[in-house]
Amino acid sequence: MKIVHTIDELRSQLRGQLRTAFVPTMGNLHEGHLSLMRTAARHGDPVVASIFVNRLQFGPNEDFDRYPRTLQDDAAKLEKEGVYVLFAPDEREMYPEPQDYRIRPPEDLGDILEGEFRPGFFVGVTTVVMKLFQCVGPQVAVFGKKDYQQQMIIRRMCQQFAMPTEIISAETIRDADGLALSSRNGYLSEQERAEAPRLYATLQQMRDRITQAQFGLGLKLDEVADLEQAARQILSVKGWQPDYISVRRQSNLAAPTQQDLDQRTPLVVVAAAKLGKTRLIDNLEI
């Protein structure tokens, strides 16, 4: 595996490649990230990974400075997965001057859910992804479904800018108890880690009740609102601080209408909540 730190080195390594598959990460890699590499290998060759902790997507009170940097261990894991090139730039390489040109997603998708609770987050994400795509020139890029809103925004960005990159969504990888793998799980105390699977269990309960209602007498909007409120209450009682638990349309993350419920439009329940100082996100398609 080649490890390169500059854009010029990266482009030199990839010159002439016809179907590059790319997986951008912020490092501190776990099995979820490695599964993305395997998905990439099924859709393209060679596989390129990047590790860059992107300051633009962190808010002023978020964990940029304490986000784990584990480049040596990460590189060893990627080499075992057969990754061809690891692009690991520093901030001076990615942002040699202030990044005044930025990508701003439309408000109806970028300013809801995660965008509401993390203002500017998706501007930072789409800007760095656009820049990384310009550096790598991938035909395929793989993103995990755990970041449901993020992969939707990136797919639409590629479509609207006519970018020659196909976005592949990979399923969420979970521990045996259901907790979605995340680099931030390492922040959890032992007691918090034991409690953390409740988030996914709560989403499963919501999915089951919605499915049962849809195949019974039907589902009403006020019942959906009651389920959302009950889920927030379940978590709050156990010490969580929910930001949102919301049933949305899979197609665009808009709130469903009664017609959507009557026609059994594909839905997804998305959630974000703090457990102690650690903010966890998850989702479950219905």
Side-chain angles (χ1 to χ4, degrees):
M1 182 180 73
K2 307 290 186 182
I3 302 177
V4 300
H5 301 283
T6 70
I7 296 169
D8 286 344
E9 290 176 305
L10 175 68
R11 288 174 172 162
S12 177
Q13 285 294 329
L14 296 179
R15 190 169 292 117
Q17 300 292 346
L18 298 178
R19 191 164 175 80
T20 301
F22 179 45
V23 184
T25 82
M26 293 204 301
N28 193 29
L29 303 183
H30 50 66
E31 180 59 27
H33 294 109
L34 301 182
S35 74
L36 300 182
M37 307 300 161
R38 295 168 202 143
T39 298
R42 293 195 295 271
H43 289 86
D45 180 38
V47 174
V48 177
S50 67
I51 293 177
F52 178 65
V53 183
N54 177 41
R55 186 185 297 271
L56 295 186
Q57 68 194 66
F58 287 79
N61 298 314
E62 294 184 339
D63 58 346
F64 175 79
D65 290 326
R66 71 185 184 113
Y67 195 89
R69 275 81 164 172
T70 55
L71 181 60
Q72 186 172 352
D73 289 343
D74 292 343
K77 292 175 182 177
L78 293 174
E79 187 160 25
K80 288 181 180 179
E81 294 297 331
V83 169
Y84 176 62
V85 173
L86 168 58
F87 179 44
D90 61 18
E91 281 196 285
R92 288 173 297 180
E93 181 66 17
M94 285 297 291
Y95 303 127
E97 57 185 287
Q99 188 67 36
D100 298 325
Y101 285 82
R102 302 196 183 192
I103 304 295
R104 181 174 298 279
E107 293 180 1
D108 61 350
L109 185 57
D111 291 351
I112 62 172
L113 302 171
E114 283 297 283
E116 177 183 351
F117 287 90
R118 300 183 68 187
F121 171 67
F122 287 122
V123 173
V125 168
T126 51
T127 299
V128 76
V129 169
M130 172 70 84
K131 194 159 190 175
L132 287 168
F133 281 6
Q134 295 301 318
C135 297
V136 177
Q139 284 68 50
V140 175
V142 181
F143 293 83
K145 275 191 178 181
K146 183 176 75 71
D147 298 290
Y148 204 89
Q149 188 174 5
Q150 173 178 285
Q151 51 93 26
M152 182 178 292
I153 286 173
I154 290 168
R155 176 177 286 105
R156 293 195 175 189
M157 178 184 75
C158 290
Q159 291 169 345
Q160 289 216 351
F161 283 101
M163 299 172 69
T165 302
E166 177 187 3
I167 303 301
I168 304 293
S169 294
E171 295 297 329
T172 301
I173 304 299
R174 301 181 181 277
D175 275 335
D177 57 9
L179 178 63
L181 297 188
S182 170
S183 297
R184 289 187 169 92
N185 291 352
Y187 297 158
L188 297 169
S189 68
E190 184 176 349
Q191 182 178 1
E192 290 167 346
R193 176 60 186 82
E195 169 63 24
R198 190 180 305 277
L199 181 61
Y200 183 55
T202 301
L203 301 188
Q204 289 177 305
Q205 292 170 2
M206 293 181 69
R207 177 200 59 190
D208 292 346
R209 290 174 184 173
I210 289 171
T211 301
Q212 290 169 4
Q214 287 178 327
F215 285 92
L217 299 176
L219 185 65
K220 302 301 181 186
L221 281 176
D222 58 353
E223 294 176 293
V224 172
D226 289 344
L227 284 174
E228 293 170 339
Q229 176 60 34
R232 289 191 291 270
Q233 183 64 23
I234 287 170
L235 293 179
S236 295
V237 167
K238 295 296 182 177
W240 294 72
Q241 303 169 59
D243 282 344
Y244 59 83
I245 300 178
S246 186
V247 176
R248 299 296 176 111
R249 289 201 295 249
Q250 285 186 25
S251 61
N252 59 6
L253 291 182
T257 64
Q258 186 60 54
Q259 185 178 21
D260 290 325
L261 301 182
D262 294 341
Q263 295 178 349
R264 297 179 187 170
T265 297
L267 303 174
V268 60
V269 54
V270 289
K274 284 184 180 178
L275 185 57
K277 296 182 178 180
T278 304
R279 188 174 185 272
L280 301 178
I281 65 171
D282 208 341
N283 64 80
L284 188 58
E285 292 180 330
I286 303 172

